[in-house]
Amino acid sequence: MAQTYIAFLRAVNVGGRTVRMERLRELFAELGLADVRTYIQSGNVFFTSEETDRAALTRRIEEHLAEALGFDVPTMVQTVEEVAEAVDADPFAGVEVTPDVRLCVVFLSEPLGAGYEFPVRSPKGDWEILGATEGAAFVVMHLRNGRLGSNPATALPKDYRGQGTSRFFHTTVKILAAARKA
């Protein structure tokens, strides 16, 4: 039975790496993936596949995108159910949202690993990781002078060997709703 996946692409439509969503849909379809759709310009691709080896699927996507686009596109592939579990866990319960606070989900290519005691705070106080699942870390960003000090994915521990890409929590909720639409 086909599984519905969400591919969260890093570094798409930032820093001069412009890719039209129509082109992304074509590239995913070229891989034989079905029901390919995109959501907003930040590189969120929904598709279905019979593939059960997620690591192999991710490698195929990343290799195809790099070849077609001429630059690496780290890709974090999650099932709709996994994203729903992250959203439903209400990871930011109790966090006071102010104009200087941003709630972010950093989608991970591999789990953070054992040994992290949450919350993990930056020395400068500009971010804190409240917790994590196997596929996502929940980061609170504190704006300084009205600006984010860094990309939320930089909040990952220095010894983390995987990749990450971030989405605001409210955007993640919208991505999930869009992915659930048939």
Side-chain angles (χ1 to χ4, degrees), residues 9 12-13 17-33 36-41 43-47 61-71 73:
L9 310 180
V12 169
N13 293 333
R17 294 179 166 189
T18 304
V19 182
R20 291 178 37 234
M21 294 302 101
E22 178 182 359
R23 179 69 176 133
L24 269 182
R25 289 190 297 272
E26 290 170 359
L27 292 170
F28 274 70
E30 287 171 7
L31 290 167
L33 304 172
V36 179
R37 297 177 292 133
T38 54
Y39 181 78
I40 64 176
Q41 300 296 312
N44 309 293
V45 183
F46 316 134
F47 62 93
I61 292 168
E62 288 177 336
E63 289 169 2
H64 189 63
L65 293 176
E67 183 179 313
L69 300 174
F71 56 86
V73 181

Tab-separated table of all heavy atoms in Angstrom, residues 9 12-13 17-33 36-41 43-47 61-71 73:
chain	number	residue	atom	x	y	z
A	9	LEU	N	12.527	20.133	2.217
A	9	LEU	CA	13.785	20.419	1.540
A	9	LEU	C	14.474	21.604	2.196
A	9	LEU	O	13.831	22.616	2.499
A	9	LEU	CB	13.534	20.725	0.064
A	9	LEU	CG	12.664	19.715	-0.695
A	9	LEU	CD1	12.495	20.140	-2.141
A	9	LEU	CD2	13.239	18.318	-0.600
A	12	VAL	N	16.085	25.641	-0.281
A	12	VAL	CA	15.378	25.885	-1.538
A	12	VAL	C	14.735	27.263	-1.438
A	12	VAL	O	14.086	27.592	-0.445
A	12	VAL	CB	14.306	24.799	-1.790
A	12	VAL	CG1	13.400	25.175	-2.941
A	12	VAL	CG2	14.977	23.464	-2.070
A	13	ASN	N	14.950	28.054	-2.471
A	13	ASN	CA	14.430	29.420	-2.566
A	13	ASN	C	14.980	30.339	-1.476
A	13	ASN	O	14.296	31.219	-0.977
A	13	ASN	CB	12.899	29.434	-2.621
A	13	ASN	CG	12.421	28.808	-3.917
A	13	ASN	OD1	13.129	28.820	-4.926
A	13	ASN	ND2	11.241	28.234	-3.903
A	17	ARG	N	19.189	30.169	-4.614
A	17	ARG	CA	18.851	28.814	-5.082
A	17	ARG	C	17.353	28.740	-5.355
A	17	ARG	O	16.608	28.111	-4.614
A	17	ARG	CB	19.261	27.779	-4.045
A	17	ARG	CG	20.748	27.712	-3.862
A	17	ARG	CD	21.091	26.691	-2.825
A	17	ARG	NE	22.505	26.393	-2.870
A	17	ARG	CZ	23.078	25.422	-2.208
A	17	ARG	NH1	22.348	24.645	-1.437
A	17	ARG	NH2	24.358	25.208	-2.304
A	18	THR	N	16.943	29.383	-6.414
A	18	THR	CA	15.527	29.482	-6.742
A	18	THR	C	15.072	28.281	-7.556
A	18	THR	O	15.696	27.927	-8.564
A	18	THR	CB	15.256	30.777	-7.537
A	18	THR	OG1	15.737	31.883	-6.758
A	18	THR	CG2	13.782	30.953	-7.819
A	19	VAL	N	13.993	27.666	-7.095
A	19	VAL	CA	13.393	26.539	-7.800
A	19	VAL	C	11.888	26.748	-7.791
A	19	VAL	O	11.281	26.875	-6.726
A	19	VAL	CB	13.725	25.186	-7.122
A	19	VAL	CG1	13.129	24.034	-7.919
A	19	VAL	CG2	15.218	25.020	-6.946
A	20	ARG	N	11.293	26.795	-8.967
A	20	ARG	CA	9.838	26.920	-9.035
A	20	ARG	C	9.199	25.615	-8.560
A	20	ARG	O	9.723	24.530	-8.784
A	20	ARG	CB	9.414	27.246	-10.467
A	20	ARG	CG	9.844	28.649	-10.876
A	20	ARG	CD	9.512	29.042	-12.304
A	20	ARG	NE	8.242	28.543	-12.780
A	20	ARG	CZ	8.100	27.835	-13.909
A	20	ARG	NH1	9.146	27.543	-14.649
A	20	ARG	NH2	6.919	27.431	-14.293
A	21	MET	N	8.076	25.734	-7.901
A	21	MET	CA	7.401	24.552	-7.366
A	21	MET	C	6.954	23.617	-8.486
A	21	MET	O	6.978	22.398	-8.318
A	21	MET	CB	6.225	24.955	-6.480
A	21	MET	CG	6.630	25.688	-5.197
A	21	MET	SD	7.767	24.768	-4.108
A	21	MET	CE	9.346	25.538	-4.518
A	22	GLU	N	6.599	24.159	-9.621
A	22	GLU	CA	6.244	23.316	-10.771
A	22	GLU	C	7.422	22.423	-11.152
A	22	GLU	O	7.260	21.234	-11.418
A	22	GLU	CB	5.839	24.196	-11.959
A	22	GLU	CG	5.504	23.407	-13.203
A	22	GLU	CD	5.165	24.314	-14.382
A	22	GLU	OE1	5.163	25.556	-14.237
A	22	GLU	OE2	4.902	23.764	-15.461
A	23	ARG	N	8.630	22.986	-11.141
A	23	ARG	CA	9.832	22.212	-11.453
A	23	ARG	C	10.076	21.134	-10.395
A	23	ARG	O	10.432	20.003	-10.725
A	23	ARG	CB	11.040	23.150	-11.563
A	23	ARG	CG	12.340	22.451	-11.861
A	23	ARG	CD	12.365	21.870	-13.268
A	23	ARG	NE	13.666	21.281	-13.542
A	23	ARG	CZ	13.836	20.085	-14.073
A	23	ARG	NH1	12.800	19.373	-14.444
A	23	ARG	NH2	15.037	19.624	-14.268
A	24	LEU	N	9.891	21.468	-9.129
A	24	LEU	CA	10.050	20.461	-8.078
A	24	LEU	C	9.077	19.299	-8.270
A	24	LEU	O	9.459	18.141	-8.125
A	24	LEU	CB	9.821	21.074	-6.692
A	24	LEU	CG	11.021	21.624	-5.961
A	24	LEU	CD1	10.610	22.145	-4.597
A	24	LEU	CD2	12.133	20.616	-5.842
A	25	ARG	N	7.830	19.628	-8.591
A	25	ARG	CA	6.838	18.563	-8.816
A	25	ARG	C	7.275	17.669	-9.977
A	25	ARG	O	7.168	16.440	-9.895
A	25	ARG	CB	5.460	19.166	-9.074
A	25	ARG	CG	4.841	19.790	-7.821
A	25	ARG	CD	3.386	20.181	-8.013
A	25	ARG	NE	3.175	21.199	-9.020
A	25	ARG	CZ	3.206	22.514	-8.803
A	25	ARG	NH1	3.461	22.981	-7.580
A	25	ARG	NH2	2.983	23.362	-9.786
A	26	GLU	N	7.792	18.271	-11.033
A	26	GLU	CA	8.272	17.482	-12.179
A	26	GLU	C	9.413	16.555	-11.761
A	26	GLU	O	9.442	15.380	-12.151
A	26	GLU	CB	8.770	18.413	-13.294
A	26	GLU	CG	7.692	19.191	-14.003
A	26	GLU	CD	8.262	20.273	-14.924
A	26	GLU	OE1	9.509	20.441	-14.997
A	26	GLU	OE2	7.449	20.963	-15.566
A	27	LEU	N	10.351	17.080	-10.983
A	27	LEU	CA	11.508	16.278	-10.570
A	27	LEU	C	11.087	15.097	-9.700
A	27	LEU	O	11.614	13.987	-9.853
A	27	LEU	CB	12.529	17.155	-9.836
A	27	LEU	CG	13.227	18.200	-10.717
A	27	LEU	CD1	14.037	19.166	-9.865
A	27	LEU	CD2	14.109	17.521	-11.747
A	28	PHE	N	10.142	15.309	-8.805
A	28	PHE	CA	9.656	14.209	-7.968
A	28	PHE	C	8.897	13.188	-8.822
A	28	PHE	O	9.041	11.979	-8.612
A	28	PHE	CB	8.798	14.737	-6.819
A	28	PHE	CG	9.590	15.133	-5.603
A	28	PHE	CD1	10.408	16.252	-5.625
A	28	PHE	CD2	9.530	14.386	-4.438
A	28	PHE	CE1	11.150	16.624	-4.512
A	28	PHE	CE2	10.271	14.744	-3.311
A	28	PHE	CZ	11.085	15.868	-3.358
A	29	ALA	N	8.109	13.659	-9.771
A	29	ALA	CA	7.368	12.747	-10.656
A	29	ALA	C	8.331	11.918	-11.505
A	29	ALA	O	8.060	10.738	-11.766
A	29	ALA	CB	6.402	13.533	-11.529
A	30	GLU	N	9.453	12.505	-11.922
A	30	GLU	CA	10.452	11.773	-12.707
A	30	GLU	C	10.992	10.562	-11.946
A	30	GLU	O	11.463	9.612	-12.547
A	30	GLU	CB	11.610	12.697	-13.085
A	30	GLU	CG	11.265	13.702	-14.159
A	30	GLU	CD	12.362	14.745	-14.366
A	30	GLU	OE1	13.464	14.620	-13.763
A	30	GLU	OE2	12.113	15.701	-15.136
A	31	LEU	N	10.921	10.598	-10.624
A	31	LEU	CA	11.379	9.478	-9.797
A	31	LEU	C	10.328	8.384	-9.664
A	31	LEU	O	10.535	7.398	-8.959
A	31	LEU	CB	11.766	9.982	-8.401
A	31	LEU	CG	13.032	10.830	-8.343
A	31	LEU	CD1	13.140	11.535	-6.997
A	31	LEU	CD2	14.250	9.965	-8.604
A	32	GLY	N	9.176	8.575	-10.308
A	32	GLY	CA	8.104	7.590	-10.218
A	32	GLY	C	7.247	7.755	-8.980
A	32	GLY	O	6.465	6.860	-8.637
A	33	LEU	N	7.371	8.878	-8.299
A	33	LEU	CA	6.555	9.149	-7.122
A	33	LEU	C	5.196	9.653	-7.581
A	33	LEU	O	5.092	10.344	-8.597
A	33	LEU	CB	7.255	10.152	-6.213
A	33	LEU	CG	8.670	9.719	-5.792
A	33	LEU	CD1	9.389	10.822	-5.049
A	33	LEU	CD2	8.625	8.441	-4.977
A	36	VAL	N	2.119	13.904	-6.567
A	36	VAL	CA	3.084	14.910	-6.143
A	36	VAL	C	2.424	16.286	-6.091
A	36	VAL	O	1.796	16.727	-7.057
A	36	VAL	CB	4.300	14.949	-7.083
A	36	VAL	CG1	5.290	16.031	-6.643
A	36	VAL	CG2	4.983	13.586	-7.135
A	37	ARG	N	2.557	16.923	-4.933
A	37	ARG	CA	2.057	18.287	-4.725
A	37	ARG	C	3.090	19.063	-3.921
A	37	ARG	O	3.911	18.463	-3.230
A	37	ARG	CB	0.729	18.264	-3.955
A	37	ARG	CG	-0.402	17.554	-4.681
A	37	ARG	CD	-1.681	17.484	-3.851
A	37	ARG	NE	-1.522	16.614	-2.693
A	37	ARG	CZ	-1.888	16.915	-1.451
A	37	ARG	NH1	-2.443	18.064	-1.166
A	37	ARG	NH2	-1.711	16.061	-0.461
A	38	THR	N	3.021	20.369	-4.002
A	38	THR	CA	3.904	21.211	-3.195
A	38	THR	C	3.063	22.174	-2.379
A	38	THR	O	1.891	22.413	-2.680
A	38	THR	CB	4.880	22.015	-4.078
A	38	THR	OG1	4.134	22.750	-5.049
A	38	THR	CG2	5.879	21.100	-4.776
A	39	TYR	N	3.695	22.710	-1.326
A	39	TYR	CA	3.028	23.687	-0.481
A	39	TYR	C	3.994	24.825	-0.189
A	39	TYR	O	5.091	24.589	0.311
A	39	TYR	CB	2.563	23.037	0.830
A	39	TYR	CG	1.833	23.994	1.736
A	39	TYR	CD1	0.507	24.343	1.491
A	39	TYR	CD2	2.475	24.592	2.805
A	39	TYR	CE1	-0.166	25.238	2.308
A	39	TYR	CE2	1.814	25.483	3.628
A	39	TYR	CZ	0.497	25.807	3.373
A	39	TYR	OH	-0.161	26.709	4.173
A	40	ILE	N	3.602	26.014	-0.486
A	40	ILE	CA	4.371	27.260	-0.414
A	40	ILE	C	5.766	27.092	-1.006
A	40	ILE	O	6.164	25.999	-1.401
A	40	ILE	CB	4.363	27.906	0.997
A	40	ILE	CG1	5.030	27.049	2.045
A	40	ILE	CG2	2.960	28.285	1.397
A	40	ILE	CD1	5.116	27.723	3.433
A	41	GLN	N	6.493	28.160	-1.085
A	41	GLN	CA	7.751	28.192	-1.829
A	41	GLN	C	8.969	27.713	-1.054
A	41	GLN	O	10.078	27.770	-1.558
A	41	GLN	CB	8.002	29.630	-2.318
A	41	GLN	CG	6.930	30.167	-3.233
A	41	GLN	CD	6.843	29.406	-4.537
A	41	GLN	OE1	7.851	29.146	-5.197
A	41	GLN	NE2	5.634	29.026	-4.925
A	43	GLY	N	9.848	24.714	-0.128
A	43	GLY	CA	10.324	23.358	-0.373
A	43	GLY	C	9.660	22.302	0.473
A	43	GLY	O	10.321	21.577	1.223
A	44	ASN	N	8.347	22.207	0.364
A	44	ASN	CA	7.568	21.169	1.041
A	44	ASN	C	6.855	20.385	-0.049
A	44	ASN	O	6.031	20.948	-0.765
A	44	ASN	CB	6.550	21.803	1.990
A	44	ASN	CG	7.204	22.813	2.911
A	44	ASN	OD1	7.996	22.453	3.761
A	44	ASN	ND2	6.895	24.080	2.719
A	45	VAL	N	7.184	19.105	-0.182
A	45	VAL	CA	6.642	18.294	-1.271
A	45	VAL	C	5.913	17.096	-0.683
A	45	VAL	O	6.480	16.355	0.120
A	45	VAL	CB	7.760	17.815	-2.222
A	45	VAL	CG1	7.170	17.041	-3.393
A	45	VAL	CG2	8.606	18.990	-2.715
A	46	PHE	N	4.658	16.920	-1.093
A	46	PHE	CA	3.858	15.765	-0.683
A	46	PHE	C	3.859	14.773	-1.835
A	46	PHE	O	3.754	15.162	-2.999
A	46	PHE	CB	2.402	16.148	-0.406
A	46	PHE	CG	2.231	17.412	0.396
A	46	PHE	CD1	1.313	18.358	-0.003
A	46	PHE	CD2	2.955	17.641	1.539
A	46	PHE	CE1	1.130	19.524	0.724
A	46	PHE	CE2	2.786	18.792	2.275
A	46	PHE	CZ	1.864	19.739	1.863
A	47	PHE	N	3.932	13.487	-1.514
A	47	PHE	CA	3.869	12.463	-2.555
A	47	PHE	C	3.527	11.129	-1.916
A	47	PHE	O	3.617	10.966	-0.704
A	47	PHE	CB	5.202	12.365	-3.315
A	47	PHE	CG	6.374	11.971	-2.453
A	47	PHE	CD1	6.751	10.640	-2.316
A	47	PHE	CD2	7.113	12.934	-1.773
A	47	PHE	CE1	7.824	10.279	-1.515
A	47	PHE	CE2	8.190	12.581	-0.969
A	47	PHE	CZ	8.549	11.251	-0.843
A	61	ILE	N	16.005	10.815	-3.912
A	61	ILE	CA	15.506	12.190	-4.077
A	61	ILE	C	16.676	13.169	-4.083
A	61	ILE	O	16.795	14.010	-4.981
A	61	ILE	CB	14.491	12.538	-2.966
A	61	ILE	CG1	13.213	11.712	-3.126
A	61	ILE	CG2	14.173	14.042	-2.985
A	61	ILE	CD1	12.275	11.775	-1.924
A	62	GLU	N	17.555	13.074	-3.095
A	62	GLU	CA	18.674	14.015	-2.996
A	62	GLU	C	19.596	13.932	-4.204
A	62	GLU	O	20.025	14.964	-4.739
A	62	GLU	CB	19.470	13.760	-1.711
A	62	GLU	CG	18.733	14.185	-0.457
A	62	GLU	CD	19.478	13.879	0.829
A	62	GLU	OE1	20.333	12.960	0.851
A	62	GLU	OE2	19.189	14.567	1.821
A	63	GLU	N	19.896	12.719	-4.656
A	63	GLU	CA	20.764	12.557	-5.835
A	63	GLU	C	20.115	13.142	-7.084
A	63	GLU	O	20.779	13.819	-7.873
A	63	GLU	CB	21.110	11.079	-6.037
A	63	GLU	CG	22.061	10.542	-4.990
A	63	GLU	CD	22.215	9.030	-5.022
A	63	GLU	OE1	21.612	8.352	-5.893
A	63	GLU	OE2	22.951	8.504	-4.145
A	64	HIS	N	18.824	12.891	-7.262
A	64	HIS	CA	18.118	13.395	-8.442
A	64	HIS	C	18.051	14.924	-8.424
A	64	HIS	O	18.284	15.579	-9.447
A	64	HIS	CB	16.715	12.780	-8.518
A	64	HIS	CG	15.993	13.071	-9.781
A	64	HIS	ND1	16.435	12.649	-11.021
A	64	HIS	CD2	14.845	13.764	-10.015
A	64	HIS	CE1	15.603	13.059	-11.960
A	64	HIS	NE2	14.620	13.739	-11.375
A	65	LEU	N	17.751	15.495	-7.266
A	65	LEU	CA	17.681	16.956	-7.162
A	65	LEU	C	19.047	17.584	-7.407
A	65	LEU	O	19.154	18.593	-8.120
A	65	LEU	CB	17.131	17.372	-5.800
A	65	LEU	CG	15.677	17.022	-5.510
A	65	LEU	CD1	15.303	17.417	-4.078
A	65	LEU	CD2	14.730	17.657	-6.514
A	66	ALA	N	20.097	17.019	-6.847
A	66	ALA	CA	21.446	17.566	-7.044
A	66	ALA	C	21.843	17.529	-8.513
A	66	ALA	O	22.390	18.506	-9.041
A	66	ALA	CB	22.458	16.802	-6.195
A	67	GLU	N	21.542	16.412	-9.167
A	67	GLU	CA	21.883	16.287	-10.584
A	67	GLU	C	21.093	17.282	-11.435
A	67	GLU	O	21.646	17.949	-12.302
A	67	GLU	CB	21.603	14.859	-11.057
A	67	GLU	CG	21.985	14.617	-12.508
A	67	GLU	CD	21.722	13.186	-12.925
A	67	GLU	OE1	22.102	12.276	-12.171
A	67	GLU	OE2	21.125	12.996	-13.995
A	68	ALA	N	19.812	17.414	-11.168
A	68	ALA	CA	18.947	18.279	-11.976
A	68	ALA	C	19.142	19.764	-11.684
A	68	ALA	O	19.041	20.591	-12.597
A	68	ALA	CB	17.487	17.891	-11.757
A	69	LEU	N	19.413	20.099	-10.429
A	69	LEU	CA	19.466	21.510	-10.038
A	69	LEU	C	20.887	22.065	-9.959
A	69	LEU	O	21.077	23.280	-9.945
A	69	LEU	CB	18.762	21.715	-8.695
A	69	LEU	CG	17.279	21.316	-8.655
A	69	LEU	CD1	16.743	21.423	-7.233
A	69	LEU	CD2	16.472	22.176	-9.618
A	70	GLY	N	21.871	21.177	-9.836
A	70	GLY	CA	23.250	21.634	-9.779
A	70	GLY	C	23.718	22.039	-8.387
A	70	GLY	O	24.779	22.633	-8.235
A	71	PHE	N	22.961	21.726	-7.373
A	71	PHE	CA	23.373	21.971	-5.986
A	71	PHE	C	22.694	20.952	-5.083
A	71	PHE	O	21.667	20.388	-5.424
A	71	PHE	CB	23.065	23.400	-5.531
A	71	PHE	CG	21.623	23.830	-5.662
A	71	PHE	CD1	20.702	23.566	-4.656
A	71	PHE	CD2	21.196	24.517	-6.792
A	71	PHE	CE1	19.381	23.977	-4.771
A	71	PHE	CE2	19.870	24.922	-6.917
A	71	PHE	CZ	18.959	24.653	-5.909
A	73	VAL	N	20.547	19.415	-2.136
A	73	VAL	CA	19.300	19.771	-1.464
A	73	VAL	C	19.054	18.726	-0.371
A	73	VAL	O	18.420	17.701	-0.618
A	73	VAL	CB	18.109	19.822	-2.446
A	73	VAL	CG1	16.839	20.230	-1.707
A	73	VAL	CG2	18.382	20.753	-3.614
